[in-house]
PDB file of all heavy atoms in Angstrom:
ATOM      1  N   THR A   1     -15.446   5.780  -0.292  1.00  0.00           N
ATOM      2  CA  THR A   1     -16.780   6.114  -0.538  1.00  0.00           C
ATOM      3  C   THR A   1     -17.122   6.114  -2.052  1.00  0.00           C
ATOM      4  O   THR A   1     -18.325   6.034  -2.363  1.00  0.00           O
ATOM      5  CB  THR A   1     -17.080   7.523  -0.026  1.00  0.00           C
ATOM      6  OG1 THR A   1     -16.110   8.456  -0.712  1.00  0.00           O
ATOM      7  CG2 THR A   1     -16.970   7.691   1.382  1.00  0.00           C
ATOM      8  N   LYS A   2     -16.087   5.951  -2.964  1.00  0.00           N
ATOM      9  CA  LYS A   2     -16.250   5.921  -4.267  1.00  0.00           C
ATOM     10  C   LYS A   2     -15.289   4.984  -4.940  1.00  0.00           C
ATOM     11  O   LYS A   2     -14.074   5.269  -4.915  1.00  0.00           O
ATOM     12  CB  LYS A   2     -16.214   7.275  -4.972  1.00  0.00           C
ATOM     13  CG  LYS A   2     -16.469   7.430  -6.427  1.00  0.00           C
ATOM     14  CD  LYS A   2     -16.428   8.768  -7.011  1.00  0.00           C
ATOM     15  CE  LYS A   2     -16.743   8.817  -8.501  1.00  0.00           C
ATOM     16  NZ  LYS A   2     -16.577  10.054  -9.065  1.00  0.00           N
ATOM     17  N   ALA A   3     -15.731   3.877  -5.407  1.00  0.00           N
ATOM     18  CA  ALA A   3     -14.821   2.903  -6.044  1.00  0.00           C
ATOM     19  C   ALA A   3     -14.335   3.469  -7.448  1.00  0.00           C
ATOM     20  O   ALA A   3     -14.975   4.198  -8.122  1.00  0.00           O
ATOM     21  CB  ALA A   3     -15.464   1.514  -6.265  1.00  0.00           C
ATOM     22  N   SER A   4     -13.058   3.099  -7.786  1.00  0.00           N
ATOM     23  CA  SER A   4     -12.465   3.530  -9.036  1.00  0.00           C
ATOM     24  C   SER A   4     -11.615   2.454  -9.629  1.00  0.00           C
ATOM     25  O   SER A   4     -10.948   1.690  -8.862  1.00  0.00           O
ATOM     26  CB  SER A   4     -11.734   4.776  -8.818  1.00  0.00           C
ATOM     27  OG  SER A   4     -11.028   5.129 -10.048  1.00  0.00           O
ATOM     28  N   ALA A   5     -11.504   2.383 -10.958  1.00  0.00           N
ATOM     29  CA  ALA A   5     -10.454   1.490 -11.563  1.00  0.00           C
ATOM     30  C   ALA A   5      -9.070   2.003 -11.318  1.00  0.00           C
ATOM     31  O   ALA A   5      -8.117   1.296 -11.382  1.00  0.00           O
ATOM     32  CB  ALA A   5     -10.733   1.460 -13.094  1.00  0.00           C
ATOM     33  N   ASN A   6      -8.962   3.260 -10.975  1.00  0.00           N
ATOM     34  CA  ASN A   6      -7.681   3.883 -10.578  1.00  0.00           C
ATOM     35  C   ASN A   6      -7.513   3.726  -9.102  1.00  0.00           C
ATOM     36  O   ASN A   6      -7.878   4.424  -8.257  1.00  0.00           O
ATOM     37  CB  ASN A   6      -7.714   5.364 -10.933  1.00  0.00           C
ATOM     38  CG  ASN A   6      -7.782   5.611 -12.429  1.00  0.00           C
ATOM     39  OD1 ASN A   6      -7.172   4.982 -13.200  1.00  0.00           O
ATOM     40  ND2 ASN A   6      -8.579   6.602 -12.764  1.00  0.00           N
ATOM     41  N   LYS A   7      -6.793   2.551  -8.776  1.00  0.00           N
ATOM     42  CA  LYS A   7      -6.725   2.168  -7.324  1.00  0.00           C
ATOM     43  C   LYS A   7      -6.080   3.093  -6.518  1.00  0.00           C
ATOM     44  O   LYS A   7      -6.210   3.180  -5.349  1.00  0.00           O
ATOM     45  CB  LYS A   7      -5.957   0.752  -7.357  1.00  0.00           C
ATOM     46  CG  LYS A   7      -4.457   0.913  -7.916  1.00  0.00           C
ATOM     47  CD  LYS A   7      -3.816  -0.555  -7.819  1.00  0.00           C
ATOM     48  CE  LYS A   7      -2.325  -0.359  -8.250  1.00  0.00           C
ATOM     49  NZ  LYS A   7      -1.614  -1.580  -8.088  1.00  0.00           N
ATOM     50  N   TRP A   8      -5.170   4.013  -7.028  1.00  0.00           N
ATOM     51  CA  TRP A   8      -4.510   4.977  -6.247  1.00  0.00           C
ATOM     52  C   TRP A   8      -5.359   6.213  -5.914  1.00  0.00           C
ATOM     53  O   TRP A   8      -4.877   7.119  -5.152  1.00  0.00           O
ATOM     54  CB  TRP A   8      -3.210   5.453  -6.958  1.00  0.00           C
ATOM     55  CG  TRP A   8      -3.432   6.055  -8.235  1.00  0.00           C
ATOM     56  CD1 TRP A   8      -3.750   7.384  -8.522  1.00  0.00           C
ATOM     57  CD2 TRP A   8      -3.587   5.443  -9.525  1.00  0.00           C
ATOM     58  NE1 TRP A   8      -4.014   7.607  -9.828  1.00  0.00           N
ATOM     59  CE2 TRP A   8      -3.955   6.438 -10.505  1.00  0.00           C
ATOM     60  CE3 TRP A   8      -3.442   4.197  -9.940  1.00  0.00           C
ATOM     61  CZ2 TRP A   8      -4.076   6.170 -11.800  1.00  0.00           C
ATOM     62  CZ3 TRP A   8      -3.577   3.918 -11.249  1.00  0.00           C
ATOM     63  CH2 TRP A   8      -3.928   4.937 -12.256  1.00  0.00           C
ATOM     64  N   TYR A   9      -6.546   6.229  -6.312  1.00  0.00           N
ATOM     65  CA  TYR A   9      -7.516   7.377  -5.974  1.00  0.00           C
ATOM     66  C   TYR A   9      -7.812   7.442  -4.367  1.00  0.00           C
ATOM     67  O   TYR A   9      -8.122   8.437  -3.932  1.00  0.00           O
ATOM     68  CB  TYR A   9      -8.806   7.277  -6.681  1.00  0.00           C
ATOM     69  CG  TYR A   9      -8.713   7.925  -8.034  1.00  0.00           C
ATOM     70  CD1 TYR A   9      -7.566   8.274  -8.685  1.00  0.00           C
ATOM     71  CD2 TYR A   9      -9.859   8.201  -8.748  1.00  0.00           C
ATOM     72  CE1 TYR A   9      -7.458   8.749  -9.954  1.00  0.00           C
ATOM     73  CE2 TYR A   9      -9.922   8.755 -10.100  1.00  0.00           C
ATOM     74  CZ  TYR A   9      -8.638   9.006 -10.581  1.00  0.00           C
ATOM     75  OH  TYR A   9      -8.564   9.605 -11.868  1.00  0.00           O
ATOM     76  N   VAL A  10      -7.628   6.279  -3.698  1.00  0.00           N
ATOM     77  CA  VAL A  10      -7.663   6.257  -2.339  1.00  0.00           C
ATOM     78  C   VAL A  10      -6.362   5.514  -1.877  1.00  0.00           C
ATOM     79  O   VAL A  10      -6.050   4.409  -2.150  1.00  0.00           O
ATOM     80  CB  VAL A  10      -8.842   5.524  -1.734  1.00  0.00           C
ATOM     81  CG1 VAL A  10      -8.811   5.483  -0.208  1.00  0.00           C
ATOM     82  CG2 VAL A  10     -10.186   6.226  -2.207  1.00  0.00           C
ATOM     83  N   GLN A  11      -5.424   6.358  -1.232  1.00  0.00           N
ATOM     84  CA  GLN A  11      -4.156   5.863  -1.067  1.00  0.00           C
ATOM     85  C   GLN A  11      -3.588   6.276   0.322  1.00  0.00           C
ATOM     86  O   GLN A  11      -3.802   7.475   0.722  1.00  0.00           O
ATOM     87  CB  GLN A  11      -3.215   6.322  -2.090  1.00  0.00           C
ATOM     88  CG  GLN A  11      -1.709   5.877  -2.152  1.00  0.00           C
ATOM     89  CD  GLN A  11      -1.045   6.337  -3.307  1.00  0.00           C
ATOM     90  OE1 GLN A  11      -0.688   7.596  -3.279  1.00  0.00           O
ATOM     91  NE2 GLN A  11      -0.683   5.455  -4.250  1.00  0.00           N
ATOM     92  N   LEU A  12      -2.940   5.381   1.038  1.00  0.00           N
ATOM     93  CA  LEU A  12      -2.251   5.709   2.321  1.00  0.00           C
ATOM     94  C   LEU A  12      -0.732   5.253   1.982  1.00  0.00           C
ATOM     95  O   LEU A  12      -0.409   4.278   1.516  1.00  0.00           O
ATOM     96  CB  LEU A  12      -2.687   4.811   3.428  1.00  0.00           C
ATOM     97  CG  LEU A  12      -2.110   5.003   4.787  1.00  0.00           C
ATOM     98  CD1 LEU A  12      -2.608   6.523   5.242  1.00  0.00           C
ATOM     99  CD2 LEU A  12      -2.664   3.951   5.813  1.00  0.00           C
ATOM    100  N   MET A  13       0.168   6.276   2.166  1.00  0.00           N
ATOM    101  CA  MET A  13       1.544   5.966   1.744  1.00  0.00           C
ATOM    102  C   MET A  13       2.632   6.521   2.718  1.00  0.00           C
ATOM    103  O   MET A  13       2.226   7.542   3.470  1.00  0.00           O
ATOM    104  CB  MET A  13       1.797   6.493   0.372  1.00  0.00           C
ATOM    105  CG  MET A  13       1.817   8.029   0.209  1.00  0.00           C
ATOM    106  SD  MET A  13       2.128   8.456  -1.487  1.00  0.00           S
ATOM    107  CE  MET A  13       0.851   9.693  -1.651  1.00  0.00           C
ATOM    108  N   GLN A  14       3.801   6.089   2.591  1.00  0.00           N
ATOM    109  CA  GLN A  14       4.999   6.591   3.354  1.00  0.00           C
ATOM    110  C   GLN A  14       6.048   6.799   2.255  1.00  0.00           C
ATOM    111  O   GLN A  14       6.422   5.930   1.466  1.00  0.00           O
ATOM    112  CB  GLN A  14       5.470   5.601   4.310  1.00  0.00           C
ATOM    113  CG  GLN A  14       6.782   5.870   4.903  1.00  0.00           C
ATOM    114  CD  GLN A  14       6.743   7.141   5.812  1.00  0.00           C
ATOM    115  OE1 GLN A  14       5.903   7.169   6.651  1.00  0.00           O
ATOM    116  NE2 GLN A  14       7.626   8.093   5.591  1.00  0.00           N
ATOM    117  N   ASN A  15       6.455   8.083   2.225  1.00  0.00           N
ATOM    118  CA  ASN A  15       7.520   8.478   1.200  1.00  0.00           C
ATOM    119  C   ASN A  15       8.966   8.350   1.845  1.00  0.00           C
ATOM    120  O   ASN A  15       9.174   7.979   3.041  1.00  0.00           O
ATOM    121  CB  ASN A  15       7.378   9.970   0.837  1.00  0.00           C
ATOM    122  CG  ASN A  15       6.113  10.098   0.007  1.00  0.00           C
ATOM    123  OD1 ASN A  15       5.910   9.307  -0.963  1.00  0.00           O
ATOM    124  ND2 ASN A  15       5.317  11.031   0.318  1.00  0.00           N
ATOM    125  N   ASN A  16       9.860   8.614   0.971  1.00  0.00           N
ATOM    126  CA  ASN A  16      11.337   8.752   1.303  1.00  0.00           C
ATOM    127  C   ASN A  16      11.973   7.438   1.961  1.00  0.00           C
ATOM    128  O   ASN A  16      12.636   7.443   2.974  1.00  0.00           O
ATOM    129  CB  ASN A  16      11.592   9.883   2.281  1.00  0.00           C
ATOM    130  CG  ASN A  16      11.239  11.145   1.609  1.00  0.00           C
ATOM    131  OD1 ASN A  16      11.387  11.347   0.500  1.00  0.00           O
ATOM    132  ND2 ASN A  16      10.495  12.052   2.318  1.00  0.00           N
ATOM    133  N   LEU A  17      11.615   6.208   1.387  1.00  0.00           N
ATOM    134  CA  LEU A  17      12.216   5.010   1.789  1.00  0.00           C
ATOM    135  C   LEU A  17      13.277   4.603   0.823  1.00  0.00           C
ATOM    136  O   LEU A  17      13.008   4.286  -0.393  1.00  0.00           O
ATOM    137  CB  LEU A  17      11.149   3.886   1.813  1.00  0.00           C
ATOM    138  CG  LEU A  17       9.949   4.170   2.683  1.00  0.00           C
ATOM    139  CD1 LEU A  17       8.820   3.082   2.541  1.00  0.00           C
ATOM    140  CD2 LEU A  17      10.422   4.212   4.214  1.00  0.00           C
ATOM    141  N   PRO A  18      14.568   4.485   1.284  1.00  0.00           N
ATOM    142  CA  PRO A  18      15.623   4.235   0.389  1.00  0.00           C
ATOM    143  C   PRO A  18      15.667   2.721  -0.051  1.00  0.00           C
ATOM    144  O   PRO A  18      15.497   1.930   0.855  1.00  0.00           O
ATOM    145  CB  PRO A  18      16.868   4.658   1.086  1.00  0.00           C
ATOM    146  CG  PRO A  18      16.532   4.660   2.543  1.00  0.00           C
ATOM    147  CD  PRO A  18      14.977   4.925   2.549  1.00  0.00           C
ATOM    148  N   LEU A  19      15.930   2.392  -1.260  1.00  0.00           N
ATOM    149  CA  LEU A  19      16.098   1.008  -1.673  1.00  0.00           C
ATOM    150  C   LEU A  19      17.545   0.884  -2.223  1.00  0.00           C
ATOM    151  O   LEU A  19      18.102   1.797  -2.847  1.00  0.00           O
ATOM    152  CB  LEU A  19      15.171   0.645  -2.835  1.00  0.00           C
ATOM    153  CG  LEU A  19      13.682   0.631  -2.573  1.00  0.00           C
ATOM    154  CD1 LEU A  19      12.910   0.218  -3.825  1.00  0.00           C
ATOM    155  CD2 LEU A  19      13.353  -0.304  -1.446  1.00  0.00           C
ATOM    156  N   THR A  20      18.107  -0.233  -2.062  1.00  0.00           N
ATOM    157  CA  THR A  20      19.418  -0.524  -2.543  1.00  0.00           C
ATOM    158  C   THR A  20      19.290  -1.708  -3.497  1.00  0.00           C
ATOM    159  O   THR A  20      18.726  -2.820  -3.148  1.00  0.00           O
ATOM    160  CB  THR A  20      20.504  -0.911  -1.363  1.00  0.00           C
ATOM    161  OG1 THR A  20      20.525   0.215  -0.596  1.00  0.00           O
ATOM    162  CG2 THR A  20      21.837  -1.222  -1.955  1.00  0.00           C
ATOM    163  N   ALA A  21      19.735  -1.590  -4.701  1.00  0.00           N
ATOM    164  CA  ALA A  21      19.629  -2.594  -5.735  1.00  0.00           C
ATOM    165  C   ALA A  21      20.145  -4.004  -5.184  1.00  0.00           C
ATOM    166  O   ALA A  21      21.362  -3.998  -4.595  1.00  0.00           O
ATOM    167  CB  ALA A  21      20.345  -2.238  -7.010  1.00  0.00           C
ATOM    168  N   GLY A  22      19.447  -5.041  -5.362  1.00  0.00           N
ATOM    169  CA  GLY A  22      19.911  -6.344  -4.929  1.00  0.00           C
ATOM    170  C   GLY A  22      19.580  -6.745  -3.592  1.00  0.00           C
ATOM    171  O   GLY A  22      19.692  -7.888  -3.088  1.00  0.00           O
ATOM    172  N   ARG A  23      19.181  -5.869  -2.733  1.00  0.00           N
ATOM    173  CA  ARG A  23      18.867  -6.051  -1.353  1.00  0.00           C
ATOM    174  C   ARG A  23      17.441  -6.535  -1.218  1.00  0.00           C
ATOM    175  O   ARG A  23      16.500  -6.094  -1.902  1.00  0.00           O
ATOM    176  CB  ARG A  23      19.052  -4.808  -0.475  1.00  0.00           C
ATOM    177  CG  ARG A  23      18.747  -5.029   1.011  1.00  0.00           C
ATOM    178  CD  ARG A  23      19.030  -3.767   1.819  1.00  0.00           C
ATOM    179  NE  ARG A  23      20.445  -3.964   2.311  1.00  0.00           N
ATOM    180  CZ  ARG A  23      20.954  -2.973   2.986  1.00  0.00           C
ATOM    181  NH1 ARG A  23      20.377  -1.817   3.249  1.00  0.00           N
ATOM    182  NH2 ARG A  23      22.247  -3.181   3.413  1.00  0.00           N
ATOM    183  N   LYS A  24      17.144  -7.449  -0.353  1.00  0.00           N
ATOM    184  CA  LYS A  24      15.788  -8.015  -0.057  1.00  0.00           C
ATOM    185  C   LYS A  24      15.159  -7.079   1.071  1.00  0.00           C
ATOM    186  O   LYS A  24      15.815  -6.667   1.989  1.00  0.00           O
ATOM    187  CB  LYS A  24      15.911  -9.437   0.501  1.00  0.00           C
ATOM    188  CG  LYS A  24      16.248 -10.386  -0.620  1.00  0.00           C
ATOM    189  CD  LYS A  24      16.072 -11.754  -0.127  1.00  0.00           C
ATOM    190  CE  LYS A  24      16.318 -12.723  -1.304  1.00  0.00           C
ATOM    191  NZ  LYS A  24      16.080 -14.125  -1.084  1.00  0.00           N
ATOM    192  N   TYR A  25      13.883  -6.771   0.888  1.00  0.00           N
ATOM    193  CA  TYR A  25      13.097  -6.143   1.854  1.00  0.00           C
ATOM    194  C   TYR A  25      11.833  -6.869   2.179  1.00  0.00           C
ATOM    195  O   TYR A  25      11.280  -7.595   1.363  1.00  0.00           O
ATOM    196  CB  TYR A  25      12.729  -4.709   1.221  1.00  0.00           C
ATOM    197  CG  TYR A  25      13.926  -3.826   1.043  1.00  0.00           C
ATOM    198  CD1 TYR A  25      14.646  -3.887  -0.146  1.00  0.00           C
ATOM    199  CD2 TYR A  25      14.293  -2.889   1.957  1.00  0.00           C
ATOM    200  CE1 TYR A  25      15.783  -3.065  -0.382  1.00  0.00           C
ATOM    201  CE2 TYR A  25      15.370  -2.084   1.762  1.00  0.00           C
ATOM    202  CZ  TYR A  25      16.158  -2.180   0.571  1.00  0.00           C
ATOM    203  OH  TYR A  25      17.201  -1.474   0.468  1.00  0.00           O
ATOM    204  N   THR A  26      11.453  -6.666   3.403  1.00  0.00           N
ATOM    205  CA  THR A  26      10.217  -7.278   3.913  1.00  0.00           C
ATOM    206  C   THR A  26       9.193  -6.249   4.235  1.00  0.00           C
ATOM    207  O   THR A  26       9.522  -5.312   5.058  1.00  0.00           O
ATOM    208  CB  THR A  26      10.460  -8.281   5.083  1.00  0.00           C
ATOM    209  OG1 THR A  26      11.320  -9.277   4.647  1.00  0.00           O
ATOM    210  CG2 THR A  26       9.160  -8.882   5.547  1.00  0.00           C
ATOM    211  N   VAL A  27       7.934  -6.425   3.826  1.00  0.00           N
ATOM    212  CA  VAL A  27       6.863  -5.448   4.165  1.00  0.00           C
ATOM    213  C   VAL A  27       5.872  -6.327   4.979  1.00  0.00           C
ATOM    214  O   VAL A  27       5.623  -7.488   4.563  1.00  0.00           O
ATOM    215  CB  VAL A  27       6.235  -4.901   2.840  1.00  0.00           C
ATOM    216  CG1 VAL A  27       4.976  -4.137   3.177  1.00  0.00           C
ATOM    217  CG2 VAL A  27       7.127  -4.119   2.023  1.00  0.00           C
ATOM    218  N   SER A  28       5.483  -5.775   6.113  1.00  0.00           N
ATOM    219  CA  SER A  28       4.425  -6.411   6.856  1.00  0.00           C
ATOM    220  C   SER A  28       3.416  -5.435   7.478  1.00  0.00           C
ATOM    221  O   SER A  28       3.936  -4.297   7.630  1.00  0.00           O
ATOM    222  CB  SER A  28       5.027  -7.340   7.949  1.00  0.00           C
ATOM    223  OG  SER A  28       5.705  -6.518   8.945  1.00  0.00           O
ATOM    224  N   PHE A  29       2.224  -5.848   7.650  1.00  0.00           N
ATOM    225  CA  PHE A  29       1.250  -5.003   8.300  1.00  0.00           C
ATOM    226  C   PHE A  29       0.036  -5.802   8.673  1.00  0.00           C
ATOM    227  O   PHE A  29      -0.098  -6.970   8.306  1.00  0.00           O
ATOM    228  CB  PHE A  29       0.715  -3.889   7.177  1.00  0.00           C
ATOM    229  CG  PHE A  29       0.136  -4.423   5.994  1.00  0.00           C
ATOM    230  CD1 PHE A  29      -1.291  -4.582   5.846  1.00  0.00           C
ATOM    231  CD2 PHE A  29       0.907  -4.826   4.872  1.00  0.00           C
ATOM    232  CE1 PHE A  29      -1.842  -5.155   4.712  1.00  0.00           C
ATOM    233  CE2 PHE A  29       0.278  -5.406   3.727  1.00  0.00           C
ATOM    234  CZ  PHE A  29      -1.029  -5.572   3.723  1.00  0.00           C
ATOM    235  N   TRP A  30      -0.788  -5.283   9.474  1.00  0.00           N
ATOM    236  CA  TRP A  30      -1.942  -5.933   9.964  1.00  0.00           C
ATOM    237  C   TRP A  30      -3.098  -5.104   9.386  1.00  0.00           C
ATOM    238  O   TRP A  30      -3.028  -3.904   9.183  1.00  0.00           O
ATOM    239  CB  TRP A  30      -2.087  -5.829  11.564  1.00  0.00           C
ATOM    240  CG  TRP A  30      -1.223  -6.778  12.183  1.00  0.00           C
ATOM    241  CD1 TRP A  30       0.163  -6.666  12.502  1.00  0.00           C
ATOM    242  CD2 TRP A  30      -1.661  -7.972  12.780  1.00  0.00           C
ATOM    243  NE1 TRP A  30       0.586  -7.671  13.153  1.00  0.00           N
ATOM    244  CE2 TRP A  30      -0.445  -8.608  13.357  1.00  0.00           C
ATOM    245  CE3 TRP A  30      -2.767  -8.699  12.815  1.00  0.00           C
ATOM    246  CZ2 TRP A  30      -0.496  -9.867  13.975  1.00  0.00           C
ATOM    247  CZ3 TRP A  30      -2.801  -9.994  13.487  1.00  0.00           C
ATOM    248  CH2 TRP A  30      -1.680 -10.574  14.114  1.00  0.00           C
ATOM    249  N   ALA A  31      -4.125  -5.840   8.952  1.00  0.00           N
ATOM    250  CA  ALA A  31      -5.228  -5.138   8.329  1.00  0.00           C
ATOM    251  C   ALA A  31      -6.494  -5.942   8.473  1.00  0.00           C
ATOM    252  O   ALA A  31      -6.547  -7.165   8.684  1.00  0.00           O
ATOM    253  CB  ALA A  31      -5.087  -4.917   6.792  1.00  0.00           C
ATOM    254  N   LYS A  32      -7.710  -5.194   8.405  1.00  0.00           N
ATOM    255  CA  LYS A  32      -9.024  -5.825   8.303  1.00  0.00           C
ATOM    256  C   LYS A  32      -9.906  -4.853   7.575  1.00  0.00           C
ATOM    257  O   LYS A  32      -9.498  -3.649   7.327  1.00  0.00           O
ATOM    258  CB  LYS A  32      -9.603  -6.247   9.725  1.00  0.00           C
ATOM    259  CG  LYS A  32      -9.959  -5.019  10.573  1.00  0.00           C
ATOM    260  CD  LYS A  32     -10.598  -5.502  11.878  1.00  0.00           C
ATOM    261  CE  LYS A  32     -11.223  -4.339  12.598  1.00  0.00           C
ATOM    262  NZ  LYS A  32     -12.052  -4.875  13.706  1.00  0.00           N
ATOM    263  N   ALA A  33     -11.116  -5.328   7.218  1.00  0.00           N
ATOM    264  CA  ALA A  33     -12.030  -4.453   6.525  1.00  0.00           C
ATOM    265  C   ALA A  33     -13.485  -4.761   6.962  1.00  0.00           C
ATOM    266  O   ALA A  33     -13.783  -5.748   7.643  1.00  0.00           O
ATOM    267  CB  ALA A  33     -11.927  -4.695   4.940  1.00  0.00           C
ATOM    268  N   SER A  34     -14.384  -3.865   6.559  1.00  0.00           N
ATOM    269  CA  SER A  34     -15.762  -3.941   6.940  1.00  0.00           C
ATOM    270  C   SER A  34     -16.477  -5.090   6.224  1.00  0.00           C
ATOM    271  O   SER A  34     -17.515  -5.537   6.597  1.00  0.00           O
ATOM    272  CB  SER A  34     -16.560  -2.623   6.734  1.00  0.00           C
ATOM    273  OG  SER A  34     -16.405  -2.286   5.372  1.00  0.00           O
ATOM    274  N   LYS A  35     -15.879  -5.564   5.195  1.00  0.00           N
ATOM    275  CA  LYS A  35     -16.328  -6.678   4.372  1.00  0.00           C
ATOM    276  C   LYS A  35     -15.137  -7.228   3.626  1.00  0.00           C
ATOM    277  O   LYS A  35     -14.077  -6.653   3.578  1.00  0.00           O
ATOM    278  CB  LYS A  35     -17.479  -6.264   3.398  1.00  0.00           C
ATOM    279  CG  LYS A  35     -17.039  -5.277   2.425  1.00  0.00           C
ATOM    280  CD  LYS A  35     -18.080  -4.762   1.501  1.00  0.00           C
ATOM    281  CE  LYS A  35     -17.573  -3.778   0.452  1.00  0.00           C
ATOM    282  NZ  LYS A  35     -18.626  -3.251  -0.373  1.00  0.00           N
ATOM    283  N   SER A  36     -15.293  -8.464   2.983  1.00  0.00           N
ATOM    284  CA  SER A  36     -14.161  -8.970   2.217  1.00  0.00           C
ATOM    285  C   SER A  36     -13.955  -8.093   1.007  1.00  0.00           C
ATOM    286  O   SER A  36     -14.841  -7.736   0.230  1.00  0.00           O
ATOM    287  CB  SER A  36     -14.597 -10.433   1.766  1.00  0.00           C
ATOM    288  OG  SER A  36     -13.447 -10.877   0.998  1.00  0.00           O
ATOM    289  N   LEU A  37     -12.688  -7.627   0.890  1.00  0.00           N
ATOM    290  CA  LEU A  37     -12.289  -6.765  -0.200  1.00  0.00           C
ATOM    291  C   LEU A  37     -10.882  -6.809  -0.495  1.00  0.00           C
ATOM    292  O   LEU A  37     -10.106  -7.315   0.358  1.00  0.00           O
ATOM    293  CB  LEU A  37     -12.800  -5.355   0.010  1.00  0.00           C
ATOM    294  CG  LEU A  37     -12.365  -4.517   1.154  1.00  0.00           C
ATOM    295  CD1 LEU A  37     -11.001  -4.077   1.124  1.00  0.00           C
ATOM    296  CD2 LEU A  37     -13.302  -3.324   1.417  1.00  0.00           C
ATOM    297  N   GLN A  38     -10.306  -6.322  -1.569  1.00  0.00           N
ATOM    298  CA  GLN A  38      -9.029  -6.368  -1.998  1.00  0.00           C
ATOM    299  C   GLN A  38      -8.335  -4.883  -1.939  1.00  0.00           C
ATOM    300  O   GLN A  38      -9.020  -3.963  -2.319  1.00  0.00           O
ATOM    301  CB  GLN A  38      -8.799  -6.837  -3.437  1.00  0.00           C
ATOM    302  CG  GLN A  38      -9.126  -8.346  -3.531  1.00  0.00           C
ATOM    303  CD  GLN A  38      -8.756  -9.005  -4.943  1.00  0.00           C
ATOM    304  OE1 GLN A  38      -8.764  -8.289  -5.895  1.00  0.00           O
ATOM    305  NE2 GLN A  38      -8.450 -10.246  -4.957  1.00  0.00           N
TER     306      GLN A  38
END
């Protein structure tokens, strides 16, 4: 409802994901919007 230069002001997140140095990870998701936006 309010745009900001601070992109994290509207955020959806999942915490506690372990990373291992040197390992490859793949992120995938489906998304759409009410208009073209980033």
Side-chain angles (χ1 to χ4, degrees):
T1 56
K2 183 179 178 183
S4 174
N6 297 317
K7 65 184 184 177
W8 61 88
Y9 275 14
V10 178
Q11 186 179 69
L12 184 65
M13 69 179 134
Q14 172 65 51
N15 288 312
N16 300 319
L17 299 172
L19 295 180
T20 302
R23 179 179 270 175
K24 288 187 178 187
Y25 293 87
T26 300
V27 176
S28 66
F29 61 96
W30 285 79
K32 71 174 188 170
S34 58
K35 61 183 180 182
S36 179
L37 56 79
Q38 289 187 333

